[in-house]
Amino acid sequence: MDDNGAPNVFLRGGIRTAIADEERLRFLPDLDVDKVKLLCGNRYEHFEASSETTVVDDRELRVFVWTRCTYVAE
């Protein structure tokens, strides 16, 4: 696994306008996690690991699929 910050995860699904395409490519230092939560303004977008992979720019990326969003409590 690369630890140089190169993307190793692709986030799929959710509201298209909430997450820019370039933000869907992420680096996770630990690929053994089941869930990822991304802060987008006043809410979190939640993604769960899938068994799928995809290839972007000749790199194989693990796919995490959108499941829901939750709002930040004040």
Side-chain angles (χ1 to χ4, degrees):
M1 172 171 71
D2 287 341
D3 54 351
N4 63 359
N8 58 1
V9 167
F10 177 74
L11 305 177
R12 180 172 48 208
I15 300 169
R16 189 150 182 84
T17 57
I19 305 169
D21 288 342
E22 60 271 6
E23 291 183 35
R24 292 180 179 277
L25 301 175
R26 312 290 286 187
F27 172 76
L28 291 182
D30 180 8
L31 283 176
D32 291 330
V33 297
D34 294 328
K35 298 178 182 181
V36 172
K37 160 169 97 163
L38 180 65
L39 181 62
C40 295
N42 67 342
R43 70 183 182 285
Y44 287 101
E45 299 292 334
H46 297 261
F47 297 83
E48 290 187 4
S50 74
S51 59
E52 297 177 59
T53 60
T54 189
V55 176
V56 176
D57 296 332
D58 296 327
R59 294 178 81 49
E60 187 172 15
L61 308 176
R62 185 172 184 196
V63 175
F64 280 71
V65 179
W66 184 86
T67 56
R68 64 192 171 108
C69 72
T70 55
Y71 290 89
V72 176
E74 293 185 26

